[in-house]
Every structure is written in C-alpha cells, then in structure tokens.
C-alpha cells in the first residue's frame, strides 16, 4: 500500500541514454532466488502490518466464496459435448470434464472427467496449468492441450484422446514455447511457434507458420509462411466453414497493424488489399471489416469503428461497394463482433448501455434485429456456444450481472427467442439498502467522465469509498458483481466507485486514443476528477477514499501518488507497474513496448 503523501524523487533516475541504472532492475529476473526472496520479505512486512485474526477471517471468507460448488461452470460446445475446466478447493488446477446440454440443464449435472490437472502435475512433478485445448471441427476425439508451467505464456503442446482419456502415444508433442496450433486434418497441424532456431521474433513470438504432419518432428516441418524478425508475430487461422478448409495467414506488425493473406497448405497465395490498421473477420464468402481510422475508398469515407461487409469473392475481384452494418456515435461504440450460424452478431455500448444486433444476409441485402430480453444496465456478454463457427447452429450464451446481482448464464437458441437461464451464481452478500447509480465528472479539459457508484442510498458525506479504474488498451470497464468487495466492503457499509477513463474502449477508438501516448496523462486526470466529484457531491471526503489498480491501473495509482495525493486517503497497487525496462522484461520487446507503453 502507498500512503497518499508527497515523496522526494530519487536523485538518480534512469534515462533514455542510460536506462539500466535502476537499482531494482534485478527484479526483472522474476524467477531468480534473489527476486523471490525479496517478494517473501515484502509479503512478511505486509502481513506484520495488516495480518492478524481479522485478516485470516476475511481470507477464509473469500476462500469459501471462490470454492463454492454452486459457482457457474462456464462451457463451450464441441461436437455433442459441453466442455468445462472446473476449479475448487479440491481441484485448484482444475478438472477437464464434459457433459451434454440436456444434462447441463439439470440442477446437479453429471460430468465425465477427462483429465485431472492436479493429478497430472503431481505424477509428472510439474507445475501444470491448462491454458487451452484445440480440436478438429467435426472430429473432436483428438485434441491438443496447451500446458503451462505456473501460468507462463510459454506452453507445452500435447495430443490428448478424449475418449481414451489419455495422452496419445507417439502423438503430437512440442516442448515449451510460445505456440499456437490449428488442425488442418486428422494428421496435420498448422503450427505457429517460437520453438526452434531462428523461429522467434525479437518479441519472443512465432516468426513462422509450419505444416506439421503426424509422425514427424516439428523441427522438420516445412515453413509455409514467415515474417521479418522485428515484427511482433506470425499466425494462421484455419477456416472450416468452406471446403476445402481455407487458411488465413496473419503478420502482426505491431499492436495495431496487421497484414493478412489467404492461402492453403502450400502457403499464402492472395494478400487482402486493405490498410494494415483494418481488422477483418472472414466467414464463408463474407468479409467483415472494421477500420481503426477514418478510411476513404471508392468515393466513400467511413468513420473509425464502422462495421462494413462485402462478398469476399467480389472484394477479391476489385469491388469496394461495402454494406454498412454499424456506424459509431460520440458515445455509442462497437465492443466486438463474431459470426454465428452465418449471421454477424454486433456487441454495442450506447451511453454505456449494452445491446446486441443480429445482422443477417439475404438476396435482398442485410437485415438487422436486436436481441431481446436482455438487461440494458450492468454487464452483458454474448458469445457463441460452439467453439468452431463451422459447427454453429446459432446457439448463443449470455452472461448477465451488475454490482448487486450475481451472474446468470443464459442460452439463446438459434439466434432468436428469449434467453433461458441455464445457471445462476449464488448471492454472496446482503444487498438490502444498496443502490447502483451512474454519474459524470468533468475532467481537466472539460471531457465528461462516467463512473458507477454502488453503496448505501443515503449519502453521509464521509462514506468509506473503494475506487478503481484502468484506462488502457481499449478495454471497457463494466460494473460487474464483485463477490470480494461485496462481502468485505459493501456489506460492511462501504461504497464502491468504478471510473470509465480515457484509454479504455467504452466509447470506441476515439476514447482509447485520447488516453494513449501523450494523452495518457488525461486518463490520470480523469481518475482524479472522479475523486473530486465524489467530494463535490457530498458522498465522502478525500481521506476516506482508497483507490486501487493493477497493471496499467497500477501506473494510474502511482500517478495519483505523485500528481494528486491530496485527493486520496490510501492508494493500493500491484507490483506490475514496473514497466520501464521492458526490453529486459520477460514478455519480450516490441509487443510489450508498444502495448504497455502507449496503452
């Protein structure tokens, strides 16, 4: 915890010409004995101050919450099965298991356990965590499991038989590396991996895409696509919505720029002729695109974040007459899009209220309909039940919650109809007498900064406030149900405040860019403005505000310490705000510098 009072700056600071004079640079060796010992000492100091019987009681309360057997098991469908990785007190690493939709609908579904990750870790003496599984559309018996040691980005790839519930003897295996795979057919993987001599970019990600056939070593797999070493990474998606499968090669130049090619197992054949900052999404003969900046083509100008669609065949023949499916507004922004059963689903925030549109093609053009029966406040996420678009029948999953209402997992069948509840998360804290309200502060340059306040209906002027924010990477912060804060803070009379800062994605690219690079200070000004607005409205006073943030939010908190200490009583941050010497950090160079730096 950082006490909110001014501190003297260090006499010697790192500079651009000599960035390595940081006396704590050795902490970048995150697994070293010295760094781990330092963490142990710091934890001990923290426990000396904040530990004790009350801390232990709160810790045990939270443990019981997170390990409840009636928490929602989130699912994805492959073939006729629903797959889930379940974690609880007895299975902290997780059980990979499956069931059917019919069985999942029952109050206590029966599950078929495929792999116990805890048992695997013990038997192999490794700190395994399961990060991903990839199977072949139409044939899900064989799957590639991505196993990570302790949550590292690097993974080991191993082929697993879901029917036999065992790893495949002499199957596909790749040592630990930053890797991703797609199935082309039952005996061929498309591998994007940093494994091997000369196979990594300077950022540490895959520089090539290889065609890896069963019975051969990955090192012998022919390279079918490669990029220059100073780009971020190469990848490939295999699209099974067409026959034969179509391969989509991607060269990620930096955080915002991509080059895309269509191709086949021989490699890239046709470049998608679009500006590099336009995101694309292919499905059958449809090409959906979303420009990051204003774009003029064929006599038309499209604003950033507009969603455009065109026949892929027509596009490749030179046609640029796009159909407009979505146009952003000053406070109305696209949050995401995906294909489901040949329909394009758009996720939109309008003045922070979520809604979803289903866009359907026909011979007469595109029609649009809004998903009905969903709340227009709080958090609503919608995504396909089926893991592979080629297998989708239109079934959608919905997660809905707000600060006082625990999550509901719902099903919308065939893209139509009202959602039906599949599972309901338990109520963790008493919400009686609490209200959720939305407000706006005015930042230093006049911009309106929204924030959500949750707490007692009556304002006393000295409310204990827990305040949080992020403001980075285009991530939209939404008011969700927080079991920990609800039980240990709201239930005890506290108030929570969640700020929507520039640098996030709540209002689209404009909002994101306003809090990047030279505008990053505005994200911090926004947060300070919200704190001041709480005082102006008579909610609390500065000494009663405790602000917390992690990662990019950790940088936010340290800026509050140095720029606005008088507006807070306490500042809490995680240690991930040490982003300066990124060229020596574990994540690599170019990607991290461009993402973590400008935010």
């Amino acid at each position: 915890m950082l006490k909110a009072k001014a501190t003297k700056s260090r006499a010697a600071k790192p500079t651009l010409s000599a960035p390595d004079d940081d006396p704590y640079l050795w902490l970048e060796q995150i697994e070293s004995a010295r760094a781990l010992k330092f963490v142990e000492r710091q934890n001990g100091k923290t426990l000396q101050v904040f530990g004790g019987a009350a801390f232990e009681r709160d810790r045990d309360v939270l443990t019981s919450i997170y390990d409840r057997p009636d928490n929602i098991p989130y699912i994805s469908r492959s073939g006729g099965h629903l797959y889930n990785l379940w974690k609880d007190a007895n299975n902290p690493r997780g059980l990979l298991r499956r069931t059917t939709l019919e069985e999942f609908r029952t109050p206590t579904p029966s599950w078929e356990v495929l792999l116990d990750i805890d048992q695997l870790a013990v038997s192999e003496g490794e700190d395994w965590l399961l990060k991903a599984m990839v199977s072949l559309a139409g044939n899900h018996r064989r799957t590639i499991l991505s196993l990570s040691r302790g949550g590292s980005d690097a993974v080991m790839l191993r082929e697993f038989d879901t029917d036999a519930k065992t790893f495949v003897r002499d199957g596909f295996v790749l040592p630990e590396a930053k890797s991703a795979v797609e199935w082309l057919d039952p005996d061929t993987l498309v591998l994007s991996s940093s494994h091997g001599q000369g196979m990594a970019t300077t950022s540490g990600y895959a520089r090539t895409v290889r065609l890896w056939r069963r019975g051969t070593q990955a090192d012998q797999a022919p390279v079918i696509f490669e990029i220059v070493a100073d780009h971020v990474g190469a990848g490939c998606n295999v699209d099974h919505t067409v026959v034969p499968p179509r391969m989509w090669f991607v060269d990620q130049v930096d955080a915002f720029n991509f080059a895309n090619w269509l191709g086949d197992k021989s490699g890239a054949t046709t470049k998608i002729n679009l500006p590099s900052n336009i995101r694309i999404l292919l499905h059958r003969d449809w090409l959906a695109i979303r420009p990051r900046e204003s774009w003029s083509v064929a006599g038309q100008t499209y604003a950033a974040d507009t969603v455009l669609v065109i026949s892929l065949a027509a596009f490749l023949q030179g046609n640029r007459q796009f159909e407009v499916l979505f146009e952003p507004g000053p406070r109305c922004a696209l949050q995401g899009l995906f294909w489901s059963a040949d329909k394009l689903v758009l996720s939109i925030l309008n003045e922070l209220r979520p809604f979803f549109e289903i866009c359907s093609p026909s011979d007469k053009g595109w029609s649009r309909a809004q998903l009905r029966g969903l709340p227009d406040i709080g958090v609503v996420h919608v995504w396909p039940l089926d893991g592979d678009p080629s297998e989708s029948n239109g079934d959608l999953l919905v997660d809905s919650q707000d600060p006082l209402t625990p999550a509901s997992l719902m099903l919308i069948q065939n893209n139509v109809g009202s959602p039906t509840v599949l599972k309901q998360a338990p109520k963790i804290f008493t919400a009686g007498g609490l209200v959720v309200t939305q407000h706006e502060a005015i930042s230093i340059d006049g911009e309106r900064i929204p924030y959500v306040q949750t707490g007692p209906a009556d304002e006393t002027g000295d409310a204990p406030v827990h305040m949080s924010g992020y403001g980075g990477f285009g991530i939209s912060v939404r008011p969700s149900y927080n079991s920990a804060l609800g039980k240990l803070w709201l239930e005890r009379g506290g108030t929570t405040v969640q700020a929507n800062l520039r640098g996030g994605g709540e209002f689209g690219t404009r909002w994101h860019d306003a809090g990047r690079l030279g505008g990053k200070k505005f994200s911090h000004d926004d947060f300070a403005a919200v704190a001041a607005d709480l005082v102006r409205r008579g909610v609390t006073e500065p000494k009663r505000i405790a602000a917390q943030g992690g990662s990019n939010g950790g940088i936010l908190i340290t800026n509050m310490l140095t720029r606005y200490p008088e507006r807070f009583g306490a500042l809490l941050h995680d240690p991930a705000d040490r982003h300066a010497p990124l060229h020596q950090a574990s994540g690599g160079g170019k990607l991290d510098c461009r993402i973590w730096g400008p935010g």
Side-chain angles (χ1 to χ4, degrees), residues 538-559:
V539 176
T540 189
E541 49 188 323
K543 67 180 182 181
R544 300 282 280 168
I545 301 176
Q548 183 174 12
S551 192
N552 180 77
I555 296 177
L556 169 70
I557 295 302
T558 53
N559 271 268

Side-chain angles (χ1 to χ4, degrees), residues 437-441 449-452 497-499 530 533-534 537:
T437 54
Q438 187 169 315
H439 309 271
E440 287 186 340
I449 308 302
Y451 64 94
V452 174
V497 170
Q498 189 175 70
V530 172
D533 198 60
L534 293 171
R537 290 179 43 237

Side-chain angles (χ1 to χ4, degrees), residues 576-599:
D577 67 341
R578 297 193 72 255
H579 291 142
L582 284 171
H583 64 291
Q584 295 194 14
S586 59
K590 188 170 186 177
L591 177 63
D592 290 323
C593 289
R594 297 209 178 189
I595 290 183
W596 287 107

Side-chain angles (χ1 to χ4, degrees), residues 85-137:
L85 181 64
W86 176 258
K87 297 181 181 181
D88 58 21
N90 296 323
N91 306 279
R93 300 175 190 276
L95 294 174
L96 177 59
R97 57 186 191 170
R98 66 185 179 186
T99 189
T100 64
L101 180 57
E102 180 182 8
E103 182 66 23
F104 187 74
R105 291 178 183 270
T106 66
T108 56
S110 176
W111 293 89
E112 177 188 7
V113 175
L114 305 178
L115 180 64
D116 185 325
I117 309 301
D118 292 272
Q119 288 185 3
L120 178 69
V122 171
S123 64
E124 298 188 350
E126 297 286 359
D127 187 17
W128 288 134
L129 295 174
L130 178 61
K131 297 198 73 172
M133 56 184 297
V134 179
S135 56
L136 176 64

Side-chain angles (χ1 to χ4, degrees), residues 178 191-195 197-202 204-210 223 225-235 250-251:
K178 293 180 179 178
L191 174 67
S192 306
S193 177
S194 61
H195 171 75
Q197 184 68 31
M199 294 298 176
T201 63
T202 54
Y205 296 91
R207 194 184 65 79
T208 67
V209 175
R210 289 173 272 183
V223 172
F225 181 73
E226 60 183 306
I227 64 173
V228 296
D230 66 348
H231 286 187
V232 171
V250 181
D251 172 5

Side-chain angles (χ1 to χ4, degrees), residues 24 46 177 179 186 243 252 259 293 304 337 375 377 402 424 484 489:
Y24 293 101
T46 301
S179 304
V243 179
Q252 184 176 355
E293 299 175 352
L337 68 165
I377 60 173
D402 65 48
Q424 174 75 55
W489 192 261

Side-chain angles (χ1 to χ4, degrees), residues 11 156 177 195 211 249 336 367 444 466 474 476 502 514 536 552 564:
M156 171 176 275
H195 171 75
L211 201 65
F249 297 91
S367 62
I444 193 169
H466 177 279
S476 299
R502 279 175 284 187
R536 181 193 65 80
N552 180 77
Y564 294 101

Side-chain angles (χ1 to χ4, degrees), residues 291 348 396 456 467 515 518 529 567:
I348 301 164
L396 302 175
M467 186 175 162
R567 299 194 185 185

